[in-house]
Amino acid sequence: MNHFSKGGVDDTRKTGQAFRGAEDRHVARWKAGESLHEIGRAFCKDHGSIQFLLSQRGGIVPAARRRSLRTLTVAEREDISRGIASGSSIREIAKGLQRAASTVSREGARHGGRPLYRANEADHQAWESALRSDVIHSL
């Protein structure tokens, strides 16, 4: 069923059919490898509008999580654990890792201190705490 506006042009905004068809074309172009800017130009829309539409439709896959190159590795955490177990000082452990003593000290304190530090648990906690919160804080 067609709806006509005052100008005699098909007004599909009331039915939403044209919009849904355009959404499908946006997603198809995205999946075909076109950039947000290319899709936006094709539909005379800003790339931000295209990104919003695709994110609402589940078309943008989140980037894979990866560790920062600056974070401690599992191997470094194991060395910290071994150093603590052998009774080495924080400075000795840090020197062996070529890290700042404050980094090693904070790592130990953050994950239970000398008596409770476990490398695997510390690594797991660090990975989990690196996730962004779902809570949006307003300014």
Side-chain angles (χ1 to χ4, degrees):
M1 179 172 160
N2 289 335
H3 299 277
F4 293 96
S5 65
K6 293 178 185 175
V9 179
D10 184 16
D11 186 7
T12 54
R13 285 178 287 167
K14 293 179 183 173
T15 63
Q17 292 171 349
F19 184 69
R20 280 192 292 274
E23 280 184 348
D24 293 338
R25 290 192 302 271
H26 291 104
V27 173
R29 284 176 177 248
W30 176 255
K31 288 183 179 178
E34 288 188 43
S35 72
L36 295 173
H37 288 278
E38 292 169 334
I39 298 168
R41 279 191 294 273
F43 291 96
C44 300
K45 297 286 183 188
D46 182 64
H47 71 279
S49 300
I50 303 300
Q51 182 178 14
F52 176 76
L53 187 141
L54 289 172
S55 67
Q56 295 298 317
R57 299 272 306 215
I60 298 178
V61 179
R65 283 185 68 197
R66 55 187 164 84
R67 293 177 188 261
S68 168
L69 297 175
R70 298 183 301 172
T71 61
L72 290 169
T73 64
V74 176
E76 288 174 319
R77 287 189 169 99
E78 288 289 342
D79 288 343
I80 292 171
S81 182
R82 278 193 226 88
I84 289 171
S86 69
S88 299
S89 72
I90 296 295
R91 289 188 184 276
E92 289 172 341
I93 297 168
K95 187 176 180 180
L97 294 173
Q98 297 181 339
R99 294 278 193 161
S102 61
T103 301
V104 176
S105 176
R106 286 185 193 123
E107 173 70 10
R110 188 179 296 125
H111 300 289
R114 280 185 170 265
L116 300 176
Y117 186 84
R118 298 293 178 268
N120 284 335
E121 290 174 24
D123 190 63
H124 178 72
Q125 286 177 358
W127 181 251
E128 291 299 316
S129 69
L131 282 173
R132 290 188 180 178
S133 171
D134 287 341
V135 177
I136 299 174
H137 301 284
S138 59
L139 298 175

